PDB file of all heavy atoms in Angstrom:
ATOM      1  N   GLU A1380     -38.295   4.044  27.724  1.00  0.00           N
ATOM      2  CA  GLU A1380     -38.641   3.336  29.080  1.00  0.00           C
ATOM      3  C   GLU A1380     -40.102   2.950  29.102  1.00  0.00           C
ATOM      4  O   GLU A1380     -41.000   3.859  28.708  1.00  0.00           O
ATOM      5  CB  GLU A1380     -38.267   4.237  30.238  1.00  0.00           C
ATOM      6  CG  GLU A1380     -36.709   4.483  30.334  1.00  0.00           C
ATOM      7  CD  GLU A1380     -36.480   5.395  31.452  1.00  0.00           C
ATOM      8  OE1 GLU A1380     -37.469   6.009  32.134  1.00  0.00           O
ATOM      9  OE2 GLU A1380     -35.306   5.638  31.739  1.00  0.00           O
ATOM     10  N   ALA A1381     -40.414   1.900  29.591  1.00  0.00           N
ATOM     11  CA  ALA A1381     -41.904   1.402  29.904  1.00  0.00           C
ATOM     12  C   ALA A1381     -41.997   1.345  31.335  1.00  0.00           C
ATOM     13  O   ALA A1381     -41.426   0.712  32.010  1.00  0.00           O
ATOM     14  CB  ALA A1381     -42.023   0.053  29.175  1.00  0.00           C
ATOM     15  N   TRP A1382     -43.173   2.143  31.763  1.00  0.00           N
ATOM     16  CA  TRP A1382     -43.475   2.271  33.162  1.00  0.00           C
ATOM     17  C   TRP A1382     -45.010   1.617  33.375  1.00  0.00           C
ATOM     18  O   TRP A1382     -45.622   1.502  32.348  1.00  0.00           O
ATOM     19  CB  TRP A1382     -43.556   3.617  33.696  1.00  0.00           C
ATOM     20  CG  TRP A1382     -42.130   4.229  33.678  1.00  0.00           C
ATOM     21  CD1 TRP A1382     -41.414   4.605  32.558  1.00  0.00           C
ATOM     22  CD2 TRP A1382     -41.320   4.504  34.917  1.00  0.00           C
ATOM     23  NE1 TRP A1382     -40.160   5.008  32.988  1.00  0.00           N
ATOM     24  CE2 TRP A1382     -40.143   4.987  34.401  1.00  0.00           C
ATOM     25  CE3 TRP A1382     -41.590   4.343  36.237  1.00  0.00           C
ATOM     26  CZ2 TRP A1382     -39.124   5.536  35.220  1.00  0.00           C
ATOM     27  CZ3 TRP A1382     -40.575   4.881  37.131  1.00  0.00           C
ATOM     28  CH2 TRP A1382     -39.366   5.354  36.596  1.00  0.00           C
ATOM     29  N   ASP A1383     -45.228   1.211  34.588  1.00  0.00           N
ATOM     30  CA  ASP A1383     -46.499   0.614  34.846  1.00  0.00           C
ATOM     31  C   ASP A1383     -47.625   1.734  34.765  1.00  0.00           C
ATOM     32  O   ASP A1383     -47.382   2.803  34.519  1.00  0.00           O
ATOM     33  CB  ASP A1383     -46.717  -0.073  36.175  1.00  0.00           C
ATOM     34  CG  ASP A1383     -46.392   0.871  37.347  1.00  0.00           C
ATOM     35  OD1 ASP A1383     -46.089   2.143  37.073  1.00  0.00           O
ATOM     36  OD2 ASP A1383     -46.420   0.460  38.447  1.00  0.00           O
ATOM     37  N   ARG A1384     -48.877   1.230  34.928  1.00  0.00           N
ATOM     38  CA  ARG A1384     -50.017   2.122  34.653  1.00  0.00           C
ATOM     39  C   ARG A1384     -49.932   3.370  35.634  1.00  0.00           C
ATOM     40  O   ARG A1384     -50.286   4.471  35.239  1.00  0.00           O
ATOM     41  CB  ARG A1384     -51.323   1.465  34.705  1.00  0.00           C
ATOM     42  CG  ARG A1384     -52.557   2.305  34.463  1.00  0.00           C
ATOM     43  CD  ARG A1384     -53.753   1.476  34.372  1.00  0.00           C
ATOM     44  NE  ARG A1384     -53.834   0.466  33.395  1.00  0.00           N
ATOM     45  CZ  ARG A1384     -54.818  -0.287  32.938  1.00  0.00           C
ATOM     46  NH1 ARG A1384     -55.900  -0.171  33.687  1.00  0.00           N
ATOM     47  NH2 ARG A1384     -54.611  -1.072  31.946  1.00  0.00           N
ATOM     48  N   ASP A1385     -49.548   3.216  36.867  1.00  0.00           N
ATOM     49  CA  ASP A1385     -49.468   4.235  37.825  1.00  0.00           C
ATOM     50  C   ASP A1385     -48.229   5.118  37.680  1.00  0.00           C
ATOM     51  O   ASP A1385     -48.099   6.171  38.310  1.00  0.00           O
ATOM     52  CB  ASP A1385     -49.352   3.688  39.228  1.00  0.00           C
ATOM     53  CG  ASP A1385     -50.667   2.917  39.557  1.00  0.00           C
ATOM     54  OD1 ASP A1385     -51.780   3.271  38.965  1.00  0.00           O
ATOM     55  OD2 ASP A1385     -50.739   2.088  40.335  1.00  0.00           O
ATOM     56  N   GLY A1386     -47.250   4.667  36.812  1.00  0.00           N
ATOM     57  CA  GLY A1386     -46.000   5.532  36.513  1.00  0.00           C
ATOM     58  C   GLY A1386     -45.114   5.396  37.729  1.00  0.00           C
ATOM     59  O   GLY A1386     -44.263   6.326  37.859  1.00  0.00           O
ATOM     60  N   LYS A1387     -45.138   4.410  38.566  1.00  0.00           N
ATOM     61  CA  LYS A1387     -44.302   4.390  39.769  1.00  0.00           C
ATOM     62  C   LYS A1387     -43.146   3.331  39.552  1.00  0.00           C
ATOM     63  O   LYS A1387     -42.175   3.532  40.070  1.00  0.00           O
ATOM     64  CB  LYS A1387     -45.089   4.055  40.911  1.00  0.00           C
ATOM     65  CG  LYS A1387     -46.238   5.067  41.381  1.00  0.00           C
ATOM     66  CD  LYS A1387     -46.966   4.626  42.555  1.00  0.00           C
ATOM     67  CE  LYS A1387     -48.069   5.711  42.860  1.00  0.00           C
ATOM     68  NZ  LYS A1387     -48.816   5.187  44.131  1.00  0.00           N
ATOM     69  N   ASN A1388     -43.274   2.325  38.691  1.00  0.00           N
ATOM     70  CA  ASN A1388     -42.418   1.224  38.653  1.00  0.00           C
ATOM     71  C   ASN A1388     -41.998   1.256  37.177  1.00  0.00           C
ATOM     72  O   ASN A1388     -42.797   0.977  36.328  1.00  0.00           O
ATOM     73  CB  ASN A1388     -42.925  -0.148  39.170  1.00  0.00           C
ATOM     74  CG  ASN A1388     -43.400  -0.096  40.629  1.00  0.00           C
ATOM     75  OD1 ASN A1388     -42.675   0.447  41.383  1.00  0.00           O
ATOM     76  ND2 ASN A1388     -44.548  -0.675  40.907  1.00  0.00           N
ATOM     77  N   LYS A1389     -40.619   1.114  37.035  1.00  0.00           N
ATOM     78  CA  LYS A1389     -40.215   0.939  35.656  1.00  0.00           C
ATOM     79  C   LYS A1389     -40.148  -0.469  35.320  1.00  0.00           C
ATOM     80  O   LYS A1389     -39.552  -1.307  35.906  1.00  0.00           O
ATOM     81  CB  LYS A1389     -38.753   1.610  35.434  1.00  0.00           C
ATOM     82  CG  LYS A1389     -38.285   1.645  33.991  1.00  0.00           C
ATOM     83  CD  LYS A1389     -37.078   2.421  33.735  1.00  0.00           C
ATOM     84  CE  LYS A1389     -35.841   1.886  34.609  1.00  0.00           C
ATOM     85  NZ  LYS A1389     -34.586   2.602  34.241  1.00  0.00           N
ATOM     86  N   LEU A1390     -40.734  -0.860  34.196  1.00  0.00           N
ATOM     87  CA  LEU A1390     -40.881  -2.199  33.844  1.00  0.00           C
ATOM     88  C   LEU A1390     -39.700  -2.647  32.980  1.00  0.00           C
ATOM     89  O   LEU A1390     -39.228  -3.699  33.057  1.00  0.00           O
ATOM     90  CB  LEU A1390     -42.149  -2.516  32.972  1.00  0.00           C
ATOM     91  CG  LEU A1390     -43.425  -2.134  33.903  1.00  0.00           C
ATOM     92  CD1 LEU A1390     -44.712  -2.348  32.950  1.00  0.00           C
ATOM     93  CD2 LEU A1390     -43.591  -2.904  35.045  1.00  0.00           C
ATOM     94  N   ALA A1391     -39.235  -1.929  31.937  1.00  0.00           N
ATOM     95  CA  ALA A1391     -38.332  -2.239  31.032  1.00  0.00           C
ATOM     96  C   ALA A1391     -37.692  -1.098  30.405  1.00  0.00           C
ATOM     97  O   ALA A1391     -38.312   0.009  30.344  1.00  0.00           O
ATOM     98  CB  ALA A1391     -38.778  -3.322  29.912  1.00  0.00           C
ATOM     99  N   THR A1392     -36.505  -1.242  29.880  1.00  0.00           N
ATOM    100  CA  THR A1392     -35.739  -0.303  29.133  1.00  0.00           C
ATOM    101  C   THR A1392     -35.432  -0.800  27.688  1.00  0.00           C
ATOM    102  O   THR A1392     -34.876  -1.913  27.602  1.00  0.00           O
ATOM    103  CB  THR A1392     -34.421   0.256  29.821  1.00  0.00           C
ATOM    104  OG1 THR A1392     -34.872   0.823  31.061  1.00  0.00           O
ATOM    105  CG2 THR A1392     -33.814   1.350  29.044  1.00  0.00           C
ATOM    106  N   GLY A1393     -35.781  -0.144  26.707  1.00  0.00           N
ATOM    107  CA  GLY A1393     -35.412  -0.613  25.417  1.00  0.00           C
ATOM    108  C   GLY A1393     -34.948   0.633  24.407  1.00  0.00           C
ATOM    109  O   GLY A1393     -34.412   1.624  24.984  1.00  0.00           O
ATOM    110  N   LYS A1394     -35.220   0.546  23.192  1.00  0.00           N
ATOM    111  CA  LYS A1394     -34.906   1.424  22.156  1.00  0.00           C
ATOM    112  C   LYS A1394     -35.915   1.669  21.105  1.00  0.00           C
ATOM    113  O   LYS A1394     -36.730   0.749  20.869  1.00  0.00           O
ATOM    114  CB  LYS A1394     -33.486   1.076  21.474  1.00  0.00           C
ATOM    115  CG  LYS A1394     -33.549  -0.187  20.762  1.00  0.00           C
ATOM    116  CD  LYS A1394     -32.170  -0.478  20.144  1.00  0.00           C
ATOM    117  CE  LYS A1394     -32.327  -1.812  19.375  1.00  0.00           C
ATOM    118  NZ  LYS A1394     -30.995  -2.191  18.602  1.00  0.00           N
ATOM    119  N   LEU A1395     -35.868   2.865  20.583  1.00  0.00           N
ATOM    120  CA  LEU A1395     -36.863   3.037  19.508  1.00  0.00           C
ATOM    121  C   LEU A1395     -36.406   2.353  18.120  1.00  0.00           C
ATOM    122  O   LEU A1395     -35.245   2.429  17.812  1.00  0.00           O
ATOM    123  CB  LEU A1395     -36.889   4.615  19.225  1.00  0.00           C
ATOM    124  CG  LEU A1395     -37.814   5.107  18.120  1.00  0.00           C
ATOM    125  CD1 LEU A1395     -39.251   4.814  18.614  1.00  0.00           C
ATOM    126  CD2 LEU A1395     -37.752   6.598  17.844  1.00  0.00           C
ATOM    127  N   VAL A1396     -37.379   1.690  17.552  1.00  0.00           N
ATOM    128  CA  VAL A1396     -37.049   0.966  16.413  1.00  0.00           C
ATOM    129  C   VAL A1396     -37.418   1.629  15.088  1.00  0.00           C
ATOM    130  O   VAL A1396     -36.531   1.908  14.197  1.00  0.00           O
ATOM    131  CB  VAL A1396     -37.784  -0.484  16.348  1.00  0.00           C
ATOM    132  CG1 VAL A1396     -37.579  -1.230  15.095  1.00  0.00           C
ATOM    133  CG2 VAL A1396     -37.339  -1.258  17.573  1.00  0.00           C
ATOM    134  N   THR A1397     -38.568   2.182  14.994  1.00  0.00           N
ATOM    135  CA  THR A1397     -38.943   2.912  13.818  1.00  0.00           C
ATOM    136  C   THR A1397     -40.192   3.872  14.076  1.00  0.00           C
ATOM    137  O   THR A1397     -40.805   3.688  15.128  1.00  0.00           O
ATOM    138  CB  THR A1397     -39.412   1.709  12.732  1.00  0.00           C
ATOM    139  OG1 THR A1397     -39.758   2.387  11.447  1.00  0.00           O
ATOM    140  CG2 THR A1397     -40.653   1.106  13.216  1.00  0.00           C
ATOM    141  N   ILE A1398     -40.373   4.702  13.013  1.00  0.00           N
ATOM    142  CA  ILE A1398     -41.500   5.645  13.103  1.00  0.00           C
ATOM    143  C   ILE A1398     -42.355   5.326  11.826  1.00  0.00           C
ATOM    144  O   ILE A1398     -41.832   4.996  10.795  1.00  0.00           O
ATOM    145  CB  ILE A1398     -40.955   7.027  12.994  1.00  0.00           C
ATOM    146  CG1 ILE A1398     -40.002   7.380  14.147  1.00  0.00           C
ATOM    147  CG2 ILE A1398     -42.084   8.055  13.135  1.00  0.00           C
ATOM    148  CD1 ILE A1398     -39.441   8.700  13.955  1.00  0.00           C
ATOM    149  N   ASP A1399     -43.654   5.403  11.982  1.00  0.00           N
ATOM    150  CA  ASP A1399     -44.556   5.091  10.920  1.00  0.00           C
ATOM    151  C   ASP A1399     -44.340   6.059   9.831  1.00  0.00           C
ATOM    152  O   ASP A1399     -43.907   7.185  10.128  1.00  0.00           O
ATOM    153  CB  ASP A1399     -45.945   5.210  11.444  1.00  0.00           C
ATOM    154  CG  ASP A1399     -46.970   4.437  10.531  1.00  0.00           C
ATOM    155  OD1 ASP A1399     -46.428   4.004   9.437  1.00  0.00           O
ATOM    156  OD2 ASP A1399     -48.121   4.377  10.847  1.00  0.00           O
ATOM    157  N   ASN A1400     -44.668   5.761   8.614  1.00  0.00           N
ATOM    158  CA  ASN A1400     -44.513   6.673   7.531  1.00  0.00           C
ATOM    159  C   ASN A1400     -45.645   7.610   7.129  1.00  0.00           C
ATOM    160  O   ASN A1400     -45.596   8.402   6.304  1.00  0.00           O
ATOM    161  CB  ASN A1400     -44.235   5.937   6.226  1.00  0.00           C
ATOM    162  CG  ASN A1400     -45.322   4.934   5.983  1.00  0.00           C
ATOM    163  OD1 ASN A1400     -46.250   4.762   6.651  1.00  0.00           O
ATOM    164  ND2 ASN A1400     -45.128   4.194   4.852  1.00  0.00           N
ATOM    165  N   VAL A1401     -46.673   7.613   7.992  1.00  0.00           N
ATOM    166  CA  VAL A1401     -47.846   8.488   7.824  1.00  0.00           C
ATOM    167  C   VAL A1401     -48.329   9.040   9.264  1.00  0.00           C
ATOM    168  O   VAL A1401     -48.139   8.484  10.127  1.00  0.00           O
ATOM    169  CB  VAL A1401     -49.074   7.825   6.977  1.00  0.00           C
ATOM    170  CG1 VAL A1401     -48.634   7.549   5.626  1.00  0.00           C
ATOM    171  CG2 VAL A1401     -49.436   6.625   7.812  1.00  0.00           C
ATOM    172  N   ILE A1402     -49.009  10.208   9.107  1.00  0.00           N
ATOM    173  CA  ILE A1402     -49.591  10.781  10.328  1.00  0.00           C
ATOM    174  C   ILE A1402     -51.042  10.476  10.242  1.00  0.00           C
ATOM    175  O   ILE A1402     -51.646  10.716   9.283  1.00  0.00           O
ATOM    176  CB  ILE A1402     -49.195  12.235  10.473  1.00  0.00           C
ATOM    177  CG1 ILE A1402     -47.777  12.469  10.696  1.00  0.00           C
ATOM    178  CG2 ILE A1402     -50.050  12.883  11.522  1.00  0.00           C
ATOM    179  CD1 ILE A1402     -47.477  13.978  10.586  1.00  0.00           C
ATOM    180  N   ASP A1403     -51.642  10.017  11.295  1.00  0.00           N
ATOM    181  CA  ASP A1403     -53.049   9.828  11.428  1.00  0.00           C
ATOM    182  C   ASP A1403     -53.815  11.134  11.447  1.00  0.00           C
ATOM    183  O   ASP A1403     -53.598  12.007  12.436  1.00  0.00           O
ATOM    184  CB  ASP A1403     -53.392   8.987  12.718  1.00  0.00           C
ATOM    185  CG  ASP A1403     -54.864   8.617  12.716  1.00  0.00           C
ATOM    186  OD1 ASP A1403     -55.619   9.002  11.883  1.00  0.00           O
ATOM    187  OD2 ASP A1403     -55.079   7.642  13.582  1.00  0.00           O
TER     188      ASP A1403
END
């Protein structure tokens, strides 16, 4: 879920696509 900067309004709902192959 994507929420606005204040965390009060939900902007959109999606799904996880991928994870990077390295850790920073």
Side-chain angles (χ1 to χ4, degrees):
E1380 298 176 350
W1382 293 70
D1383 62 359
R1384 183 172 296 186
D1385 296 333
K1387 297 179 180 179
N1388 300 317
K1389 185 169 69 172
L1390 303 178
T1392 301
K1394 62 180 180 178
L1395 181 66
V1396 176
T1397 184
I1398 305 176
D1399 200 1
N1400 57 355
V1401 293
I1402 294 176
D1403 189 349

